[in-house]
Amino acid sequence: NYSLLIVPYAQFIPLALNSGIERLAKTDCKIIFLESLPEGISDSDTPLSESVLHAKVLALSELKDYLQSEKLQKLQLSPENKAIRYLHYQGENDVYYFVNEGDMIYKGKGILPNSVGLYAYDAWNNQLYQVEYKKTAVGIELELELQPGESCILVADQLPNMEVGKKLQVEGEKQAFDREWERSLCRSIDYPQFQNNKKITSFKNVGEEEPEFSGFIAYENQFDHNGSNKAILEITNAYEGVEVFINEESTGIQILPPYLYDISELVSVGKNTIRIEVATTLERERNKDPLRGQEPKDITECRPTGIVGEV
């Protein structure tokens, strides 16, 4: 069931849309054309339907106020941000999906039109998490923080009868690596034959040294563990996907910062080995042989490669 169809400005519309609007208008669906009505139909001599000719016309600048006055905008964000996309799916439960399509971290509040409980679903790790929220007169209010590219799935319901955990967070005493890292490179087609080993004391954009390299970058080190109950590995930023091995055992792949790993079950008292493999995209390698119709871009415009944050 649809409550509103918004048609962006078009001088002509196809016959299929004209017929579809005629059918929708017989339901409770409202029809809005932006800026002006079309002049006719592009692929037929059929005249515009009465439903099109009598549809409401709004300027784009008027659309937001109209949606709010008709109570069609169910979700609210504060502050508003054009890079935050969200979807509200109404089924057995209300499901909300948020994604940050911008290049900046978003921090703000979301208000959802519900009065029941709320929990988060992490689809990447297939886990449920508790969510802190408060109930207000207009719905459920919660804090939202989304990294660039990060998504968030919220389910409006009482907590199900299954294990619900807490999202991993950085806490406790920080421990720096006191040894040099060994860095090596490997093209994707040659994996896992790494070469070009190099000792490094800090993390830098590998693209500055190897401007045309795409593939895997491995970072290896050792660290001492004192036997405390919890051990969390944090990689603050890297491009693009990250896989971490503790004592030769993989802890999984992550694709967005901050890269957080609970390595408590893998570390042992005393010396431990760590290996971080960062997979780049093919952007740099393909830049010298771009798709037809495209020009090679300046290599400095490519994304960084490897770890560019702290570990």
Side-chain angles (χ1 to χ4, degrees):
N1 297 318
Y2 296 91
S3 37
L4 176 67
L5 173 68
I6 302 170
V7 185
Y9 170 73
Q11 186 178 5
F12 296 91
I13 61 172
L15 180 62
L17 179 57
N18 183 68
S19 303
I21 289 174
E22 194 170 11
R23 291 196 301 272
L24 280 174
K26 294 175 182 177
T27 69
D28 292 331
C29 182
K30 295 179 173 64
I31 311 295
I32 300 290
F33 280 87
L34 294 182
E35 307 303 341
S36 73
L37 294 175
E39 297 176 16
I41 295 177
S42 59
D43 53 352
S44 171
D45 294 331
T46 303
L48 292 168
S49 69
E50 291 296 311
S51 301
V52 171
L53 293 173
H54 293 94
K56 191 176 187 65
V57 177
L58 289 175
L60 180 60
S61 58
E62 299 173 319
L63 183 59
K64 177 183 170 184
D65 290 340
Y66 173 81
L67 293 175
Q68 291 178 336
S69 67
E70 294 291 319
K71 300 190 178 346
L72 292 168
Q73 187 172 344
K74 305 294 186 183
L75 281 67
Q76 298 178 45
L77 285 181
S78 178
E80 295 176 331
N81 188 306
K82 65 181 181 181
I84 306 300
R85 308 281 187 255
Y86 51 82
L87 173 73
H88 178 195
Y89 176 79
Q90 293 177 292
E92 182 178 344
N93 302 109
D94 284 310
V95 178
Y96 302 93
Y97 175 81
F98 296 85
V99 61
N100 181 358
E101 294 188 351
D103 55 7
M104 302 288 290
I105 298 174
Y106 175 79
K107 292 183 180 181
K109 291 182 179 179
I111 299 179
L112 315 180
N114 281 286
S115 58
V116 298
L118 195 70
Y119 60 89
Y121 174 58
D122 180 351
W124 184 261
N125 295 303
N126 194 29
Q127 292 179 341
L128 298 178
Y129 291 114
Q130 297 174 356
V131 176
E132 292 186 5
Y133 61 87
K134 64 180 180 181
K135 294 182 179 180
T136 69
V138 292
I140 287 180
E141 181 180 299
L142 74 156
E143 299 290 333
L144 280 175
E145 180 172 335
L146 294 170
Q147 299 284 333
E150 184 180 6
S151 60
C152 172
I153 300 173
L154 300 171
V155 182
D157 195 3
Q158 302 299 329
L159 288 176
N161 295 323
M162 57 191 298
E163 185 176 350
V164 178
K166 289 186 176 180
K167 200 166 185 178
L168 192 62
Q169 294 182 337
V170 177
E171 54 190 358
E173 181 182 350
K174 287 188 176 182
Q175 177 183 339
F177 288 86
D178 55 6
R179 299 176 176 87
E180 288 183 321
W181 290 82
E182 183 171 293
R183 192 196 74 194
S184 53
L185 308 178
C186 174
R187 293 181 64 223
S188 300
I189 199 170
D190 299 325
Y191 185 87
Q193 304 301 319
F194 284 85
Q195 54 187 353
N196 299 331
N197 293 30
K198 179 181 179 180
K199 298 284 187 182
I200 60 171
T201 56
S202 61
F203 299 104
K204 297 178 181 178
N205 172 16
V206 175
E208 295 178 0
E209 299 177 37
E210 303 283 345
E212 296 181 354
F213 172 78
S214 293
F216 289 88
I217 304 166
Y219 303 85
E220 297 178 83
N221 208 333
Q222 295 181 352
F223 64 95
D224 296 314
H225 184 56
N226 58 14
S228 59
N229 293 331
K230 194 86 167 176
I232 298 172
L233 176 73
E234 177 187 20
I235 304 168
T236 58
N237 201 5
Y239 291 86
E240 299 277 338
V242 171
E243 184 171 12
V244 172
F245 299 83
I246 302 295
N247 297 323
E248 304 300 326
E249 187 168 345
S250 174
T251 62
I253 294 173
Q254 295 186 19
I255 58 171
L256 286 171
Y259 303 90
L260 294 179
Y261 291 88
D262 185 347
I263 59 174
S264 308
E265 301 297 322
L266 298 178
V267 295
S268 56
V269 178
K271 278 188 171 51
N272 295 267
T273 64
I274 179 172
R275 177 182 178 87
I276 303 171
E277 292 186 2
V278 180
T280 78
T281 68
L282 285 171
E283 179 185 27
R284 290 176 177 272
E285 183 175 319
R286 300 306 302 160
N287 185 57
K288 59 189 177 185
D289 185 20
L291 295 173
R292 184 180 299 171
Q294 295 181 353
E295 293 292 329
K297 59 185 174 184
D298 191 317
I299 204 71
T300 59
E301 297 176 7
C302 292
R303 286 172 177 250
T305 50
I307 297 176
V308 294
E310 298 178 352
V311 180

